[in-house]
Amino acid sequence: MSKAPVIVIHGGAWSIPDDMAEASKVGVKQAARVGYEVLKQGGSAVDAVVAAVKVMEDDPVFDAGIGSVLNAAGDVEMDAVVMDGKTLNAGAVACVQNIQNPVHLARLIMDKTPHVLLVGKGANQFAKEMGLPEVSTETLVTESARESWLRYMEYHDTIGGLFSNRDLQTGCDTVGAVALDQMGNVAFATSTGGITAKRPGRVGDAPIVGSGGYADNEAGAVSTTGHGEAILRTCLAHRITNHMHSGLNADEASRAGLDYMTRRVKGSGGVVVVSTNGDIAANFTTDRMAWASVKDGQVHYGLDPEEHQTEPLYFL
Amino acid sequence: MSKAPVIVIHGGAWSIPDDMAEASKVGVKQAARVGYEVLKQGGSAVDAVVAAVKVMEDDPVFDAGIGSVLNAAGDVEMDAVVMDGKTLNAGAVACVQNIQNPVHLARLIMDKTPHVLLVGKGANQFAKEMGLPEVSTETLVTESARESWLRYMEYHDTIGGLFSNRDLQTGCDTVGAVALDQMGNVAFATSTGGITAKRPGRVGDAPIVGSGGYADNEAGAVSTTGHGEAILRTCLAHRITNHMHSGLNADEASRAGLDYMTRRVKGSGGVVVVSTNGDIAANFTTDRMAWASVKDGQVHYGLDPEEHQTEPLYFL
């Protein structure tokens, strides 16, 4: 009972500036292609979402891995998670430093330990035991990320109010992926550097099972992005998965989840979703979200609301 | 529209040894009384669950605050969370060291920052800014916790297999509380020192919104305990809240959630639940769970399956 494989990618839901728009679209399409190739060759949904997220961690346009933003102390602290909808196995890492691919570390936690979540120094210690190469903060930080940080810190020193009245303009370009493989299994992965000038130790929704994403073969898979605290408080990904479990399709379930988040906590964000039936959604309540999917030999993608473009799978 | 206030407490779901049984029952009853007193005097559900959990953090019989277990490195790393069902505001702390009341710090994160979760050194830095006194590891560690750790480490050195084939015998006596106040608002709080000889940086379900607990005035409140990774992977607290949202009562919803966890990931645990209607549950699939509730002027409590004792509120 081979299923037609599907992958859906997001590159963050926020007010993506025009000068990043094209690179964001190129990046999510590339990730979707890489993940889809894994699925076509018979790889698992877990393999596909990890491969896709790794592409975006390596792409400096996204706030994950290389391209991560700086926290208030000028350090990089990254979060990532992966989950297998067949077994509900999951691995996650929060506040990890000096590694290039947090999603890879999350997968090692899932595969090699009985744990789900390792944070901070303990996560780095595990990375070392696993032989992951240490990279310098300079390797992870782009010139643009450092400029954002300097602007923000200058603003803070002049105006005050650090950690209050934040808006999403400082960037929330978390990345994520959901996939359905030929065996009918779903998975998700999410990765982020968080928000510019965040308080050291702050963890948003991204690495949290149920918030940053959820995957359950009995319903489907979800990866989220946007206002991390709002997503955490509404358990957005698990909420959407439950809606699919109750019979809503991916589009209906994701709209119901985002509407709930707007109504209860006035939070905005975006999600990519695949149901175990293979129907997909990429919805957001922010100004923009870079997304791409591959299904039936076609790449679909967009950035602005209502934008939906298609191109052949191997067009470039 | 004043409601009859209700509080339900747990002191951890695991194979509680006989020599801890009585002290565990006394501890949960005391926490229930203290929390109920807050509610009777018109305090909020949030005030009540924080006060109740603080009593158990201060009680060395429980693995939270004083009495926390040691990790593999011989350190204490604690987790806690609190959530307000009216606003869905939440605060949480993971891998924090050298403070006596992690639940108090979680509440400060909820009240004083726009964040939900702070971990590791960043959490301790925030505690310092808030003026929370630093306590030594020796203050937090009981003789019994140190003995468990020594036994475990000796076993590990002899037999090997650290971090695999763990069982719950090493202790999972997380504490938690749910409450419904006179205004009809629900809240939950959970706090833990984790599991003996855990990998440094390991975080279980306890501090995770949706896993260690959830509170939503549109349904009710839940606090969980037991096999942390299983609870995380099934998003147990949010799952039970959703069941109440769909019309199940507290008892039906909690059984459905625990059954799902058994079926999908073979995990055992326990929960205390209050619905916004005021019906309550204390259910577990482990050997034992210390629990207590106060409702209509009576204290109810138990430890073994089917055990349900009552006593007048101020009997002692």
Side-chain angles (χ1 to χ4, degrees):
Chain A
M1 42 152 252
S2 176
K3 287 217 179 191
V6 181
I7 191 160
V8 197
I9 303 293
H10 71 75
W14 58 300
S15 303
I16 301 168
D18 287 339
D19 62 5
M20 288 172 69
E22 189 54 30
S24 296
K25 288 196 222 181
V26 170
V28 290
K29 285 192 284 182
Q30 179 60 16
R33 284 192 182 94
V34 168
Y36 189 73
E37 190 61 31
V38 171
L39 297 170
K40 277 302 271 187
Q41 293 183 2
S44 71
V46 169
D47 289 338
V49 294
V50 170
V53 166
K54 186 175 177 302
V55 167
M56 293 184 285
E57 286 179 340
D58 292 343
D59 184 336
V61 79
F62 299 114
D63 171 22
I66 293 176
S68 285
V69 300
L70 297 160
N71 71 11
D75 289 325
V76 171
E77 292 181 326
M78 299 170 291
D79 311 320
V81 59
V82 60
M83 184 170 193
D84 179 349
K86 183 182 180 185
T87 57
L88 304 187
N89 281 339
V93 63
C95 265
V96 71
Q97 299 190 295
N98 300 110
I99 60 168
Q100 183 163 336
N101 294 113
V103 75
H104 183 207
L105 186 59
R107 182 165 192 179
L108 287 169
I109 291 168
M110 176 167 89
D111 289 348
K112 308 283 187 192
T113 83
H115 300 313
V116 170
L117 175 59
L118 293 180
V119 309
K121 280 195 300 185
N124 271 99
Q125 185 180 315
F126 178 67
K128 206 169 175 178
E129 287 169 36
M130 291 291 111
L132 261 59
E134 202 171 302
V135 299
S136 67
T137 303
E138 287 63 42
T139 306
L140 297 171
V141 175
T142 61
E143 201 178 324
S144 144
R146 192 167 294 279
E147 277 166 15
S148 289
W149 179 74
L150 284 168
R151 264 200 314 276
Y152 189 86
M153 297 308 277
E154 193 177 335
Y155 167 83
H156 163 242
D157 288 345
T158 320
I159 316 285
L162 186 59
F163 310 122
S164 62
N165 300 316
R166 298 197 64 94
D167 59 34
L168 295 174
Q169 304 303 324
T170 48
C172 278
D173 36 359
T174 299
V175 303
V178 294
L180 170 68
D181 66 27
Q182 297 187 46
M183 303 298 294
N185 299 313
V186 294
F188 91 92
T190 305
S191 181
T192 190
I195 49 178
T196 294
K198 65 185 177 183
R199 176 182 279 279
R202 177 265 186 187
V203 176
D205 65 298
I208 305 300
V209 171
S211 296
Y214 200 73
D216 184 344
N217 272 8
E218 297 188 4
V222 181
S223 171
T224 69
T225 169
H227 183 210
E229 277 75 8
I231 294 171
L232 266 174
R233 291 160 57 201
T234 53
C235 236
L236 181 63
H238 190 253
R239 184 174 299 278
I240 291 170
T241 311
N242 277 331
H243 284 313
M244 288 193 284
H245 206 263
S246 306
L248 300 194
N249 68 27
D251 184 58
E252 295 161 344
S254 55
R255 287 179 195 276
L258 288 167
D259 286 351
Y260 189 86
M261 189 164 82
T262 302
R263 177 169 69 81
R264 287 303 302 275
V265 302
K266 298 188 181 27
S268 45
V271 297
V272 291
V273 184
V274 63
S275 80
T276 309
N277 301 327
D279 61 303
I280 63 175
N283 286 319
F284 51 100
T285 52
T286 47
D287 290 346
R288 287 174 155 178
M289 179 177 82
W291 66 271
S293 65
V294 184
K295 194 177 172 179
D296 305 328
Q298 285 254 308
V299 180
H300 305 255
Y301 65 99
L303 186 87
D304 285 306
E306 311 300 328
E307 180 181 359
H308 187 142
Q309 306 198 51
T310 58
E311 61 186 38
L313 185 51
Y314 291 107
F315 175 93
L316 203 65
Chain B
M1 41 155 252
S2 177
K3 287 216 179 191
V6 181
I7 191 159
V8 197
I9 303 293
H10 70 75
W14 59 299
S15 304
I16 300 167
D18 288 339
D19 62 6
M20 289 173 67
E22 189 54 32
S24 297
K25 288 195 220 180
V26 169
V28 290
K29 284 192 285 181
Q30 179 60 16
R33 285 193 182 95
V34 168
Y36 189 72
E37 189 60 32
V38 171
L39 296 170
K40 278 301 273 186
Q41 293 182 2
S44 71
V46 169
D47 289 338
V49 294
V50 169
V53 166
K54 186 175 176 302
V55 166
M56 293 185 284
E57 286 180 340
D58 292 343
D59 185 338
V61 78
F62 300 113
D63 172 22
I66 293 177
S68 286
V69 299
L70 296 160
N71 70 11
D75 290 324
V76 171
E77 292 181 325
M78 300 170 291
D79 311 321
V81 59
V82 59
M83 184 171 192
D84 180 349
K86 182 181 180 186
T87 57
L88 305 187
N89 281 338
V93 64
C95 266
V96 71
Q97 300 191 296
N98 300 111
I99 60 168
Q100 184 163 334
N101 294 113
V103 74
H104 183 206
L105 186 60
R107 180 161 194 181
L108 287 170
I109 291 167
M110 175 168 89
D111 290 348
K112 308 282 187 192
T113 83
H115 299 313
V116 170
L117 175 58
L118 294 180
V119 309
K121 280 194 300 185
N124 270 102
Q125 185 181 316
F126 178 67
K128 206 168 176 180
E129 288 170 35
M130 292 290 112
L132 260 60
E134 202 171 302
V135 299
S136 67
T137 303
E138 288 63 42
T139 306
L140 297 171
V141 175
T142 61
E143 201 178 325
S144 143
R146 192 167 295 279
E147 276 166 14
S148 290
W149 180 75
L150 284 168
R151 264 201 314 278
Y152 190 87
M153 297 308 279
E154 193 176 337
Y155 167 84
H156 162 241
D157 288 344
T158 320
I159 316 286
L162 186 59
F163 311 122
S164 63
N165 301 317
R166 299 198 64 95
D167 59 34
L168 295 173
Q169 304 304 324
T170 48
C172 277
D173 36 358
T174 298
V175 303
V178 294
L180 170 68
D181 65 28
Q182 296 189 46
M183 303 298 295
N185 299 313
V186 294
F188 92 91
T190 305
S191 181
T192 190
I195 49 178
T196 295
K198 65 185 178 184
R199 176 181 278 278
R202 177 263 186 188
V203 176
D205 65 297
I208 305 300
V209 171
S211 295
Y214 200 73
D216 184 344
N217 272 7
E218 297 187 3
V222 181
S223 172
T224 69
T225 170
H227 183 210
E229 278 74 11
I231 294 171
L232 266 174
R233 289 160 60 201
T234 52
C235 237
L236 182 62
H238 190 253
R239 186 174 297 278
I240 291 171
T241 310
N242 277 331
H243 284 312
M244 288 193 284
H245 205 263
S246 306
L248 300 195
N249 68 27
D251 184 58
E252 294 161 344
S254 55
R255 287 180 195 276
L258 288 166
D259 286 351
Y260 189 86
M261 190 163 82
T262 303
R263 178 168 70 80
R264 287 304 301 276
V265 301
K266 298 189 183 23
S268 45
V271 297
V272 291
V273 184
V274 62
S275 79
T276 309
N277 301 326
D279 61 304
I280 63 176
N283 286 318
F284 52 100
T285 51
T286 47
D287 290 347
R288 288 174 155 180
M289 178 177 83
W291 65 272
S293 64
V294 184
K295 194 178 171 179
D296 305 328
Q298 285 255 309
V299 180
H300 305 255
Y301 65 99
L303 185 87
D304 284 307
E306 310 300 329
E307 180 181 357
H308 187 142
Q309 305 198 52
T310 58
E311 61 186 38
L313 184 50
Y314 291 107
F315 175 91
L316 204 66

